[in-house]
Amino acid sequence: MDLDHDASISGLHLVLGLALTSKTHKETLTPSSPQSNKVVVDDHFDLIRATSKKPYSEDGPSLTLALSGENYNLINQVTLDLSTQTSPLSTVSSFSDGGVKRERELSSEEIERVSSRVSGDEDEDATIARKKLRLNKNQSAMLEENFKQHSTLNPKQKQALAKQLNLRPRQVEVWFQNRRARTKLKQTEMDCEFLKKCCETLTDENMRLQKELQELKALKLSQPLYIPMSATTMCPSCERLSGGGSSGGASNKRTPFSMSMAAKPHFYNPFNNPSAAC
DNA sequence: ACTGTCAAGAAGTGTT
DNA sequence: AACACTTCTTGACAGT
């Protein structure tokens, strides 16, 4: 279902297309009439907001234009001259925020998306790209400061902060959500690095112990210990009898338990030993 | 100047 | 409501 809105508000000629069910994002633009080939949108964000999905349009199709940009800190004027399709990037939007000037250009795709709403033709069920607001330095700094104090906000704090920063409470909420996620991600990355180092240390330790074992085996072959043939010892770990009748070869299973206990290994646990690599 | 790539971050959606 | 996951926008940068 497509809706076309023609509006004329105190001299401003607004021609707004609202496609509710268009399927494709990229739609070719064909101005419906020569009289309506110019679109002047005040507060472009509100336009996008009004045409996008939840949470901005809970009650179905609605289109509200706030000429003063009441809910946003940005007052935008986007002029789309639909008769000059040769220069899609020529659209300029100017932002003002208490002296902090910001600029951005609309991509050709964005223009097409908006324009497709204007033309009102083509497919249905398209979801208009959300317009992403870039927080200015002041807002970011303020949010960061608040995050340091408490990483979560109660509704009152959220409202107050939103009002203070001229943002919607939802934006503040999302910012804190993303900020918490980034903190967690950073922590996870640090943990990962830590575990990597531990793994490396353990690998090295393992190699060292293997080498040591080989050396001890070689030593044992050259200088066999005297073990009385009558003595049988139960190995606590492999539960094998050693010493009784078996000749001491190079096999691990035949290694006399007394020997392995004689060469007392020193186990290294990187989790308990912060002095090494970790 | 243009284009492709990438990281950061804003926002949407579904789950707990 | 918070979170995890995802999508999408944006700006910076490198290569041409």
Side-chain angles (χ1 to χ4, degrees):
Chain A
M1 180 174 76
D2 290 339
L3 292 176
D4 283 344
H5 281 253
D6 284 7
S8 178
I9 304 173
S10 61
L12 277 177
H13 299 287
L14 302 173
V15 183
L16 301 170
L18 179 57
L20 298 173
T21 53
S22 180
K23 276 177 181 159
T24 56
H25 281 191
K26 297 185 179 181
E27 297 169 352
T28 53
L29 176 70
T30 46
S32 52
S33 67
Q35 289 80 15
S36 60
N37 66 349
K38 182 156 186 168
V39 179
V40 178
V41 179
D42 270 307
D43 200 331
H44 182 60
F45 286 153
D46 273 1
L47 167 66
I48 297 300
R49 190 150 49 106
T51 53
S52 63
K53 295 191 298 183
K54 281 189 180 180
Y56 304 138
S57 55
E58 297 265 354
D59 302 316
S62 66
L63 181 60
T64 50
L65 289 177
L67 295 176
S68 59
E70 63 209 65
N71 290 331
Y72 276 90
N73 57 326
L74 305 178
I75 300 171
N76 317 296
Q77 183 166 67
V78 181
T79 303
L80 304 181
D81 190 349
L82 303 183
S83 64
T84 55
Q85 286 296 299
T86 53
S87 179
L89 287 173
S90 61
T91 302
V92 174
S93 55
S94 61
F95 303 76
S96 65
D97 177 30
V100 180
K101 191 177 180 182
R102 300 163 68 206
E103 292 182 0
R104 81 173 284 277
E105 288 183 340
L106 289 177
S107 68
S108 57
E109 192 176 89
E110 285 175 276
I111 291 173
E112 282 181 1
R113 287 171 186 167
V114 173
S115 302
S116 69
R117 288 344 176 250
V118 175
S119 62
D121 56 8
E122 295 296 326
D123 286 337
E124 55 282 344
D125 202 29
T127 53
I128 289 189
R130 48 181 175 242
K131 185 65 64 177
K132 190 163 127 180
L133 167 71
R134 208 76 188 180
L135 302 175
N136 64 35
K137 280 185 180 178
N138 190 34
Q139 289 168 325
S140 295
M142 195 73 90
L143 286 164
E144 196 69 48
E145 205 169 297
N146 275 268
F147 184 80
K148 279 179 186 171
Q149 292 167 12
H150 27 68
S151 60
T152 53
L153 292 176
N154 60 38
K156 269 192 173 182
Q157 289 172 320
K158 192 199 302 175
Q159 283 286 348
L161 193 54
K163 194 175 179 182
Q164 187 182 357
L165 297 174
N166 259 337
L167 295 170
R168 280 173 287 127
R170 169 67 182 160
Q171 286 179 292
V172 175
E173 180 183 314
V174 166
W175 188 91
F176 269 74
Q177 234 168 52
N178 287 324
R179 184 67 178 77
R180 283 192 293 268
R182 284 197 293 276
T183 302
K184 192 173 181 180
L185 181 66
K186 201 173 178 181
Q187 184 58 48
T188 304
E189 284 173 354
M190 286 171 67
D191 290 347
C192 187
E193 281 301 309
F194 173 81
L195 288 173
K196 271 184 186 173
K197 280 190 175 180
C198 289
C199 183
E200 285 171 13
T201 307
L202 285 170
T203 303
D204 290 346
E205 184 70 5
N206 188 33
M207 286 176 66
R208 193 190 65 74
L209 288 170
Q210 293 279 358
K211 196 178 172 184
E212 195 175 311
L213 183 64
Q214 293 295 325
E215 287 172 1
L216 287 171
K217 280 180 183 173
L219 187 68
K220 177 205 152 196
L221 283 177
S222 60
Q223 300 173 346
L225 290 177
Y226 170 75
I227 299 173
M229 292 303 286
S230 60
T232 55
T233 311
M234 178 74 81
C235 171
S237 59
C238 63
E239 295 181 359
R240 282 175 180 272
L241 294 177
S242 63
S246 62
S247 61
S251 166
N252 279 347
K253 291 175 182 176
R254 296 181 180 178
T255 302
F257 176 64
S258 57
M259 176 62 198
S260 57
M261 290 303 285
K264 194 172 184 177
H266 56 282
F267 294 108
Y268 172 75
N269 183 352
F271 297 98
N272 295 334
N273 188 355
S275 63
C278 302

